[in-house]
PDB file of all heavy atoms in Angstrom:
ATOM      1  N   VAL J 290      73.663 112.494  75.915  1.00 97.00           N
ATOM      2  CA  VAL J 290      73.255 112.767  74.516  1.00 97.00           C
ATOM      3  C   VAL J 290      74.390 112.409  73.619  1.00 97.00           C
ATOM      4  O   VAL J 290      75.568 112.665  73.925  1.00 97.00           O
ATOM      5  CB  VAL J 290      72.871 114.239  74.331  1.00 97.00           C
ATOM      6  CG1 VAL J 290      72.646 114.550  72.865  1.00 97.00           C
ATOM      7  CG2 VAL J 290      71.670 114.641  75.179  1.00 97.00           C
ATOM      8  N   HIS J 291      74.093 111.758  72.482  1.00 97.00           N
ATOM      9  CA  HIS J 291      75.054 111.545  71.417  1.00 97.00           C
ATOM     10  C   HIS J 291      74.388 111.810  70.092  1.00 97.00           C
ATOM     11  O   HIS J 291      73.227 111.470  69.866  1.00 97.00           O
ATOM     12  CB  HIS J 291      75.609 110.113  71.454  1.00 97.00           C
ATOM     13  CG  HIS J 291      76.606 109.910  72.559  1.00 97.00           C
ATOM     14  ND1 HIS J 291      77.918 110.265  72.459  1.00 97.00           N
ATOM     15  CD2 HIS J 291      76.470 109.323  73.774  1.00 97.00           C
ATOM     16  CE1 HIS J 291      78.566 109.950  73.561  1.00 97.00           C
ATOM     17  NE2 HIS J 291      77.721 109.381  74.407  1.00 97.00           N
ATOM     18  N   LYS J 292      75.162 112.413  69.158  1.00 97.00           N
ATOM     19  CA  LYS J 292      74.614 112.702  67.857  1.00 97.00           C
ATOM     20  C   LYS J 292      74.928 111.559  66.886  1.00 97.00           C
ATOM     21  O   LYS J 292      75.886 110.785  67.102  1.00 97.00           O
ATOM     22  CB  LYS J 292      75.124 114.029  67.334  1.00 97.00           C
ATOM     23  CG  LYS J 292      76.627 114.070  67.034  1.00 97.00           C
ATOM     24  CD  LYS J 292      77.003 115.455  66.491  1.00 97.00           C
ATOM     25  CE  LYS J 292      78.488 115.535  66.178  1.00 97.00           C
ATOM     26  NZ  LYS J 292      78.880 116.862  65.649  1.00 97.00           N
ATOM     27  N   PHE J 293      74.134 111.476  65.846  1.00 97.00           N
ATOM     28  CA  PHE J 293      74.353 110.480  64.820  1.00 97.00           C
ATOM     29  C   PHE J 293      75.479 110.875  63.876  1.00 97.00           C
ATOM     30  O   PHE J 293      75.717 112.081  63.600  1.00 97.00           O
ATOM     31  CB  PHE J 293      73.060 110.235  64.006  1.00 97.00           C
ATOM     32  CG  PHE J 293      71.992 109.520  64.768  1.00 97.00           C
ATOM     33  CD1 PHE J 293      70.695 110.012  64.877  1.00 97.00           C
ATOM     34  CD2 PHE J 293      72.257 108.281  65.384  1.00 97.00           C
ATOM     35  CE1 PHE J 293      69.699 109.341  65.585  1.00 97.00           C
ATOM     36  CE2 PHE J 293      71.283 107.596  66.071  1.00 97.00           C
ATOM     37  CZ  PHE J 293      69.998 108.119  66.165  1.00 97.00           C
ATOM     38  N   THR J 294      76.151 109.841  63.369  1.00 96.00           N
ATOM     39  CA  THR J 294      77.174 110.053  62.333  1.00 96.00           C
ATOM     40  C   THR J 294      77.106 108.884  61.364  1.00 96.00           C
ATOM     41  O   THR J 294      76.232 108.029  61.457  1.00 96.00           O
ATOM     42  CB  THR J 294      78.547 110.122  63.029  1.00 96.00           C
ATOM     43  OG1 THR J 294      79.523 110.480  62.053  1.00 96.00           O
ATOM     44  CG2 THR J 294      78.964 108.796  63.668  1.00 96.00           C
ATOM     45  N   ILE J 295      77.976 108.844  60.415  1.00 96.00           N
ATOM     46  CA  ILE J 295      77.954 107.807  59.397  1.00 96.00           C
ATOM     47  C   ILE J 295      78.239 106.429  60.066  1.00 96.00           C
ATOM     48  O   ILE J 295      79.191 106.282  60.855  1.00 96.00           O
ATOM     49  CB  ILE J 295      79.018 108.057  58.317  1.00 96.00           C
ATOM     50  CG1 ILE J 295      78.683 109.384  57.610  1.00 96.00           C
ATOM     51  CG2 ILE J 295      79.097 106.913  57.329  1.00 96.00           C
ATOM     52  CD1 ILE J 295      79.753 109.845  56.655  1.00 96.00           C
ATOM     53  N   GLY J 296      77.430 105.450  59.752  1.00 96.00           N
ATOM     54  CA  GLY J 296      77.622 104.131  60.292  1.00 96.00           C
ATOM     55  C   GLY J 296      76.422 103.221  60.016  1.00 96.00           C
ATOM     56  O   GLY J 296      75.458 103.666  59.361  1.00 96.00           O
ATOM     57  N   ASP J 297      76.485 101.979  60.496  1.00 96.00           N
ATOM     58  CA  ASP J 297      75.390 101.058  60.208  1.00 96.00           C
ATOM     59  C   ASP J 297      74.830 100.377  61.478  1.00 96.00           C
ATOM     60  O   ASP J 297      74.072  99.405  61.376  1.00 96.00           O
ATOM     61  CB  ASP J 297      75.882  99.972  59.235  1.00 96.00           C
ATOM     62  CG  ASP J 297      77.060  99.170  59.764  1.00 96.00           C
ATOM     63  OD1 ASP J 297      77.434  99.361  60.923  1.00 96.00           O
ATOM     64  OD2 ASP J 297      77.562  98.314  59.018  1.00 96.00           O
ATOM     65  N   HIS J 298      75.234 100.878  62.658  1.00 96.00           N
ATOM     66  CA  HIS J 298      74.643 100.307  63.868  1.00 96.00           C
ATOM     67  C   HIS J 298      74.899 101.259  65.034  1.00 96.00           C
ATOM     68  O   HIS J 298      75.735 102.163  64.973  1.00 96.00           O
ATOM     69  CB  HIS J 298      75.293  98.937  64.201  1.00 96.00           C
ATOM     70  CG  HIS J 298      76.744  99.047  64.664  1.00 96.00           C
ATOM     71  ND1 HIS J 298      77.780  99.183  63.770  1.00 96.00           N
ATOM     72  CD2 HIS J 298      77.268  99.128  65.913  1.00 96.00           C
ATOM     73  CE1 HIS J 298      78.925  99.275  64.460  1.00 96.00           C
ATOM     74  NE2 HIS J 298      78.643  99.252  65.734  1.00 96.00           N
ATOM     75  N   VAL J 299      74.101 101.049  66.099  1.00 97.00           N
ATOM     76  CA  VAL J 299      74.297 101.799  67.350  1.00 97.00           C
ATOM     77  C   VAL J 299      74.371 100.788  68.479  1.00 97.00           C
ATOM     78  O   VAL J 299      73.875  99.652  68.391  1.00 97.00           O
ATOM     79  CB  VAL J 299      73.141 102.803  67.584  1.00 97.00           C
ATOM     80  CG1 VAL J 299      73.096 103.892  66.544  1.00 97.00           C
ATOM     81  CG2 VAL J 299      71.791 102.087  67.673  1.00 97.00           C
ATOM     82  N   TRP J 300      75.020 101.230  69.578  1.00 97.00           N
ATOM     83  CA  TRP J 300      75.055 100.427  70.810  1.00 97.00           C
ATOM     84  C   TRP J 300      74.070 101.093  71.812  1.00 97.00           C
ATOM     85  O   TRP J 300      74.262 102.270  72.133  1.00 97.00           O
ATOM     86  CB  TRP J 300      76.445 100.403  71.402  1.00 97.00           C
ATOM     87  CG  TRP J 300      77.405  99.484  70.663  1.00 97.00           C
ATOM     88  CD1 TRP J 300      78.312  99.859  69.705  1.00 97.00           C
ATOM     89  CD2 TRP J 300      77.526  98.065  70.831  1.00 97.00           C
ATOM     90  NE1 TRP J 300      78.985  98.760  69.256  1.00 97.00           N
ATOM     91  CE2 TRP J 300      78.538  97.650  69.935  1.00 97.00           C
ATOM     92  CE3 TRP J 300      76.897  97.136  71.610  1.00 97.00           C
ATOM     93  CZ2 TRP J 300      78.896  96.334  69.830  1.00 97.00           C
ATOM     94  CZ3 TRP J 300      77.282  95.795  71.544  1.00 97.00           C
ATOM     95  CH2 TRP J 300      78.269  95.393  70.642  1.00 97.00           C
ATOM     96  N   LEU J 301      73.119 100.326  72.285  1.00 97.00           N
ATOM     97  CA  LEU J 301      72.170 100.843  73.281  1.00 97.00           C
ATOM     98  C   LEU J 301      72.027  99.763  74.364  1.00 97.00           C
ATOM     99  O   LEU J 301      71.647  98.608  74.076  1.00 97.00           O
ATOM    100  CB  LEU J 301      70.822 101.162  72.629  1.00 97.00           C
ATOM    101  CG  LEU J 301      70.797 102.283  71.593  1.00 97.00           C
ATOM    102  CD1 LEU J 301      69.395 102.428  70.984  1.00 97.00           C
ATOM    103  CD2 LEU J 301      71.235 103.599  72.220  1.00 97.00           C
ATOM    104  N   CYS J 302      72.311 100.163  75.600  1.00 97.00           N
ATOM    105  CA  CYS J 302      72.209  99.243  76.748  1.00 97.00           C
ATOM    106  C   CYS J 302      73.017  97.966  76.533  1.00 97.00           C
ATOM    107  O   CYS J 302      72.613  96.861  76.915  1.00 97.00           O
ATOM    108  CB  CYS J 302      70.758  98.883  77.044  1.00 97.00           C
ATOM    109  SG  CYS J 302      69.782 100.307  77.651  1.00 97.00           S
ATOM    110  N   GLY J 303      74.158  98.106  75.852  1.00 96.00           N
ATOM    111  CA  GLY J 303      75.026  96.974  75.636  1.00 96.00           C
ATOM    112  C   GLY J 303      74.636  96.086  74.481  1.00 96.00           C
ATOM    113  O   GLY J 303      75.287  95.058  74.256  1.00 96.00           O
ATOM    114  N   ILE J 304      73.624  96.435  73.719  1.00 96.00           N
ATOM    115  CA  ILE J 304      73.139  95.637  72.619  1.00 96.00           C
ATOM    116  C   ILE J 304      73.447  96.349  71.287  1.00 96.00           C
ATOM    117  O   ILE J 304      73.200  97.546  71.149  1.00 96.00           O
ATOM    118  CB  ILE J 304      71.626  95.350  72.726  1.00 96.00           C
ATOM    119  CG1 ILE J 304      71.329  94.597  74.037  1.00 96.00           C
ATOM    120  CG2 ILE J 304      71.137  94.543  71.539  1.00 96.00           C
ATOM    121  CD1 ILE J 304      71.978  93.246  74.160  1.00 96.00           C
TER     122      ILE J 304
END
Side-chain angles (χ1 to χ4, degrees):
V290 172
H291 283 279
K292 66 180 180 179
F293 287 127
T294 187
I295 299 172
D297 60 3
H298 70 277
V299 295
W300 286 97
L301 296 176
C302 293
I304 300 298

